[in-house]
Amino acid sequence: HRAFPAPAAGSPPPAAAQVLTLDEGTFTISRGDSVIGRESFTIRSTPGTNGPIVQARATVAYDGRRLSPVLSADSGGAATQYQLEVRTGANATEILEGTIQRGRFSATMQTPRGKNMNQYVVTEGALILDEDVFHQYYFVARRNRSGPIPVVVPHRNVQVTMRVEDRGAASVVV
């Protein structure tokens, strides 16, 4: 048998993996002058084997629906996994699960009508911006550059190109 030295008294414990909250908040969703819903979200960074993993979770409620998206991305915001559950009342009406690997987006959509699987080619570093989920634009702002950005829109099973332009500084009142 082997003996191992005991840690010195007063020495700090090994550093635990650190989770950082990058952004979080709650805001209302309006259509015209009417408030129609609310979105609460948290975006966190956790250590991963190949660098930080950023995970964005939210609860979006409006128009009688409740959306629960979970997006995992690399430190640059490029999506790696996406899940979305849509509920109307107490029942799940849609469950989407998707991954981006080796330039392909593979998704499974479960609805009351059955299961649908899709796979298509996407550009390296593509972001996910789902319809009706607004906190995901955090990843567009994090790119901190102008020009074209590839974006996967899971509900439409497409990749589009978003163009970001610097229009100068402006004030925002909250």
Side-chain angles (χ1 to χ4, degrees):
H1 90 270
R2 294 174 53 156
F4 294 95
S11 66
Q18 188 171 5
V19 176
L20 299 172
T21 298
L22 303 175
D23 199 3
E24 64 183 340
T26 299
F27 53 90
T28 58
I29 302 168
S30 301
R31 188 177 291 137
D33 292 333
S34 301
V35 172
I36 61 165
R38 182 173 206 81
E39 182 168 331
S40 296
F41 70 95
T42 302
I43 302 171
R44 291 193 171 103
S45 175
T46 59
T49 54
N50 296 322
I53 298 167
V54 178
Q55 191 172 73
R57 295 178 170 270
T59 300
V60 184
Y62 75 99
D63 286 345
R65 299 184 318 152
R66 183 181 181 95
L67 291 75
S68 300
V70 179
L71 170 64
S72 295
D74 66 18
S75 61
T80 56
Q81 292 183 312
Y82 187 60
Q83 298 171 324
L84 175 68
E85 182 178 272
V86 179
R87 292 186 167 276
T88 303
N91 300 321
T93 56
E94 293 178 15
I95 299 174
L96 180 135
E97 295 180 346
T99 58
I100 294 180
Q101 292 180 326
R102 295 185 296 280
R104 294 200 172 278
F105 181 68
S106 302
T108 302
M109 173 74 82
Q110 179 73 47
T111 68
R113 295 180 307 278
K115 188 180 273 190
N116 183 21
M117 294 183 200
N118 286 305
Q119 186 178 84
Y120 49 94
V121 175
V122 295
T123 303
E124 183 70 28
L127 303 180
I128 286 184
L129 295 177
D130 210 343
E131 296 173 330
D132 305 326
V133 180
F134 304 102
H135 74 280
Q136 294 169 349
Y137 284 89
Y138 166 90
F139 295 100
V140 174
R142 189 171 178 156
R143 288 281 169 107
N144 199 22
R145 67 169 199 215
S146 295
I149 295 177
V151 174
V152 173
V153 185
H155 267 97
R156 291 194 285 156
N157 293 316
V158 297
Q159 175 181 293
V160 298
T161 300
M162 174 183 278
R163 182 158 193 78
V164 177
E165 288 182 18
D166 182 349
R167 297 258 176 131
S171 297
V172 176
V173 178
V174 179

